[in-house]
Amino acid sequence: MSVWQDEIHEGNGGRGGKTRIGVLSSRTLFDERSAFQRVRIFETEALGRVLMLDDLWMAADHEEATYHEMISHPALTTAKRIERVLVIGGGDGGTAREVLRHPGVKHVDMVEIDGMVVDACKTHMPKVGRAWDDPRLNVIIDDGVAHVQNAAPGSYDVILVDGSDPVGPAVGLFNDAFYAACGRALTDDGVFATQAESPTLMRDVHVQMWGALEQVFSVVRPYYATISIYPGASWSWLYASKGTDPLAPRAERVAVAEAESYYYNADVHHGAFAVPNHVLRAR
Amino acid sequence: MSVWQDEIHEGNGGRGGKTRIGVLSSRTLFDERSAFQRVRIFETEALGRVLMLDDLWMAADHEEATYHEMISHPALTTAKRIERVLVIGGGDGGTAREVLRHPGVKHVDMVEIDGMVVDACKTHMPKVGRAWDDPRLNVIIDDGVAHVQNAAPGSYDVILVDGSDPVGPAVGLFNDAFYAACGRALTDDGVFATQAESPTLMRDVHVQMWGALEQVFSVVRPYYATISIYPGASWSWLYASKGTDPLAPRAERVAVAEAESYYYNADVHHGAFAVPNHVLRAR
């Protein structure tokens, strides 16, 4: 028997009320509570396997490529060096997979706070995390905030923050001290990128993150794409650097990304950095 | 008592299964069957008033601006002349409203097949159609396909097709003969734009429309934005002309559009024309 599984959004853009995004599921493959959150994976016909953390959709087989490409390739195609990469969060393995497509990447530390997410995704969502066996990938089950604070200055060329929303275990990823620590852990020509919430339903958080990153980095630019299973369906990331230009990707790395990408290409890279008028006005 | 109102999508991208996009509604303001379709308007807290035709979301107070700006301003900012504009469909009045913001527009024929949609929206969705009283607007309740076929050659500077999906009353808006008639009804430096379905869930239709327009127009370019209440949440339009460049908007008209827009601006205009890799591969 199939049942609807929904993510319900309350207080949309400060207006109150509820909307929902649902998918008809034929089977629950995993449902346990970790020390941090409830971890569920559903089998669905429309979206393939779908991961839900607490009551929020995180990834689906057929709606994960755009997110993982967009958190990875703008940074990976523009940073001067990309040998040492840190991924914070990203327990489903999709971000590490995209990062590791670049042959210039020599080592990826992926620091995920919740080992249950990694284990459940390895077993039940193998289509997302396809690079678990890459010898360049070092999975660390630990607090990403502490990891960055303890990292030696300049120890990473690229830092990608693939955390969940600013409630629950990921709340420490949304504050000034964390961004400052990321700035220290990056090389001088390194690049930082983070998911940055819905510019429509969570515009306040999005704009606050933008401003907070500007306290640490000289270049901060938001970029956007559609992720149908996320609140508001319009999603954002923030690119930050100490001078590296987000709009000057290296052609040979773009070609690597384009070769297997679902969404990303050179035009998409440039177009994604257009900021909607309502976001500009809210700054 | 509040009830969930959902649009259910079946057979997502050819995969089968169901997803849904719902909104909690406190009241049904209108629910009648016209000669063409079931017309419903719901009161909701999250999205304001919401229009549903048959079982498909069409517009909502808080999720209509992006759609109506994007179907209008790329064409209106690039066409050489914009004095005479034809809107086909657009019964909620949102597209006509955006068109009429341009002072260079002297006359708009809005040809909507279903008078019940216009009447219901005038009464129950006044926040969308705010230009009904503009003396430049001529609302015609008629078949848009017949209207274009009967139009004198070169009688419009801009034609915008704001129809629903290629089922039901709008099916005639999705074929070669209709596009050819639009080409004849346009001036030589006129611009045509149409909504072009979801590039994810209805990619086949999207790509077919692109190819069909290329049989009539020398310049055809798709463009994209997020519309959270539409299937797949990623939405598209197609821009077509007999030579006019979609990427050369006139600054003074962009400034007019930007002054009151929610989403559209010069960067958005350019960025929207980036085509996702999966669409390029499907061509």
Side-chain angles (χ1 to χ4, degrees):
Chain A
M1 200 188 88
S2 293
V3 292
W4 284 102
Q5 301 290 354
D6 292 292
E7 174 175 332
I8 295 177
H9 313 130
E10 297 199 49
N12 293 281
R15 286 186 296 271
K18 294 181 183 179
T19 54
R20 69 182 177 190
I21 296 172
V23 58
L24 198 62
S25 163
S26 58
R27 198 156 55 108
T28 299
L29 296 166
F30 188 90
D31 184 359
E32 293 190 25
R33 285 184 187 279
S34 73
F36 303 99
Q37 56 203 343
R38 184 178 182 186
V39 179
R40 285 183 283 180
I41 297 174
F42 304 107
E43 181 77 75
T44 80
E45 196 177 357
L47 297 176
R49 306 244 172 132
V50 192
L51 171 67
M52 184 172 254
L53 298 181
D54 285 337
D55 296 310
L56 304 173
W57 294 126
M58 287 294 132
D61 282 349
H62 303 313
E63 184 62 315
E64 58 85 15
T66 298
Y67 176 86
H68 291 125
E69 292 169 15
M70 292 303 282
I71 198 171
S72 304
H73 299 307
L76 269 292
T77 55
T78 54
K80 185 174 180 186
R81 292 160 61 102
I82 56 172
E83 294 184 8
R84 297 162 301 165
V85 178
L86 171 63
V87 175
I88 295 177
D92 57 33
T95 297
R97 175 199 76 207
E98 290 300 314
V99 169
L100 289 162
R101 285 174 47 204
H102 291 275
V105 171
K106 293 191 177 169
H107 183 87
V108 178
D109 285 331
M110 177 188 137
V111 184
E112 164 61 53
I113 200 167
D114 193 344
M116 184 184 284
V117 174
V118 173
D119 292 340
C121 289
K122 279 184 178 176
T123 303
H124 297 291
M125 294 191 76
K127 290 184 181 174
V128 177
R130 299 191 297 269
W132 295 118
D133 296 331
D134 191 306
R136 297 171 294 167
L137 177 60
N138 177 38
V139 177
I140 302 167
I141 304 304
D142 199 358
D143 177 2
V145 175
H147 181 91
V148 170
Q149 283 168 342
N150 296 332
S155 46
Y156 292 106
D157 299 309
V158 174
I159 297 179
L160 304 178
V161 181
D162 180 13
S164 49
D165 301 313
V167 289
V171 70
L173 306 179
F174 291 80
N175 67 63
D176 302 13
F178 172 66
Y179 298 143
C182 288
R184 284 192 300 274
L186 267 185
T187 55
D188 282 346
D189 44 31
V191 173
F192 171 94
T194 179
Q195 76 91 354
E197 301 293 310
S198 167
T200 52
L201 297 195
M202 292 169 283
R203 188 172 60 204
D204 289 354
V205 175
H206 174 64
V207 169
Q208 282 164 16
M209 291 174 74
W210 186 350
L213 282 166
E214 288 181 325
Q215 304 302 310
V216 175
F217 294 96
S218 58
V219 173
V220 183
R221 292 281 299 269
Y223 60 100
Y224 304 90
T226 305
I227 311 290
S228 70
I229 60 171
Y230 289 176
S234 176
W235 207 251
S236 75
W237 299 263
L238 280 155
Y239 177 109
S241 76
K242 303 170 184 177
T244 299
D245 182 356
L247 295 180
R250 288 156 194 253
E252 71 281 10
R253 294 198 206 143
V254 171
V256 166
E258 282 183 354
E260 294 179 44
S261 67
Y262 169 79
Y263 183 71
Y264 178 88
N265 59 38
D267 284 349
V268 162
H269 182 126
H270 287 88
F273 284 90
V275 184
N277 240 20
H278 67 93
V279 176
L280 293 176
R281 288 210 191 91
R283 279 264 284 171
Chain B
M1 201 189 88
S2 294
V3 293
W4 285 102
Q5 301 290 355
D6 292 293
E7 174 175 332
I8 295 177
H9 313 130
E10 297 199 48
N12 294 281
R15 286 186 296 271
K18 295 181 183 179
T19 55
R20 69 182 177 190
I21 296 172
V23 57
L24 197 62
S25 163
S26 58
R27 197 154 56 107
T28 300
L29 296 165
F30 189 89
D31 184 358
E32 293 190 24
R33 284 184 187 280
S34 73
F36 303 98
Q37 55 203 341
R38 184 178 183 186
V39 179
R40 285 183 284 180
I41 297 174
F42 302 107
E43 181 76 76
T44 79
E45 195 177 357
L47 296 176
R49 305 240 173 135
V50 191
L51 172 67
M52 184 171 254
L53 297 182
D54 286 335
D55 296 310
L56 304 173
W57 295 124
M58 287 294 133
D61 283 349
H62 303 314
E63 184 64 315
E64 58 87 14
T66 298
Y67 176 85
H68 291 125
E69 293 170 14
M70 292 303 280
I71 197 172
S72 304
H73 299 307
L76 269 292
T77 56
T78 54
K80 185 175 180 188
R81 293 161 59 102
I82 57 172
E83 295 183 10
R84 298 162 299 164
V85 178
L86 171 62
V87 175
I88 295 177
D92 57 32
T95 298
R97 174 197 78 206
E98 290 300 314
V99 170
L100 289 162
R101 285 174 46 204
H102 291 275
V105 171
K106 293 190 177 169
H107 183 86
V108 177
D109 285 331
M110 176 187 138
V111 185
E112 164 63 51
I113 202 167
D114 193 344
M116 184 184 284
V117 174
V118 173
D119 293 340
C121 289
K122 279 184 176 174
T123 303
H124 297 292
M125 293 190 77
K127 290 184 180 173
V128 176
R130 299 191 298 269
W132 295 118
D133 296 331
D134 191 306
R136 298 172 292 168
L137 177 59
N138 178 38
V139 177
I140 302 166
I141 304 302
D142 200 357
D143 176 4
V145 175
H147 181 91
V148 169
Q149 282 167 341
N150 296 330
S155 46
Y156 292 106
D157 300 309
V158 174
I159 297 179
L160 305 178
V161 182
D162 179 14
S164 48
D165 301 313
V167 290
V171 70
L173 306 179
F174 291 80
N175 67 63
D176 303 14
F178 172 67
Y179 299 143
C182 288
R184 285 193 300 273
L186 268 185
T187 56
D188 282 346
D189 42 34
V191 173
F192 171 93
T194 179
Q195 76 90 355
E197 300 292 308
S198 167
T200 52
L201 296 196
M202 292 169 281
R203 188 172 59 204
D204 288 352
V205 176
H206 174 63
V207 169
Q208 281 163 16
M209 292 175 73
W210 186 352
L213 282 166
E214 287 181 326
Q215 304 302 312
V216 174
F217 295 97
S218 58
V219 173
V220 182
R221 292 281 299 268
Y223 59 100
Y224 304 89
T226 306
I227 310 290
S228 70
I229 61 171
Y230 289 175
S234 177
W235 208 251
S236 75
W237 298 263
L238 280 155
Y239 177 108
S241 74
K242 302 170 186 178
T244 299
D245 182 356
L247 295 180
R250 287 154 196 252
E252 71 282 9
R253 295 198 206 143
V254 171
V256 166
E258 281 184 353
E260 295 179 44
S261 67
Y262 168 79
Y263 182 71
Y264 178 89
N265 58 40
D267 284 350
V268 162
H269 182 126
H270 288 88
F273 284 89
V275 185
N277 239 20
H278 67 93
V279 176
L280 292 176
R281 287 210 191 93
R283 280 264 282 171

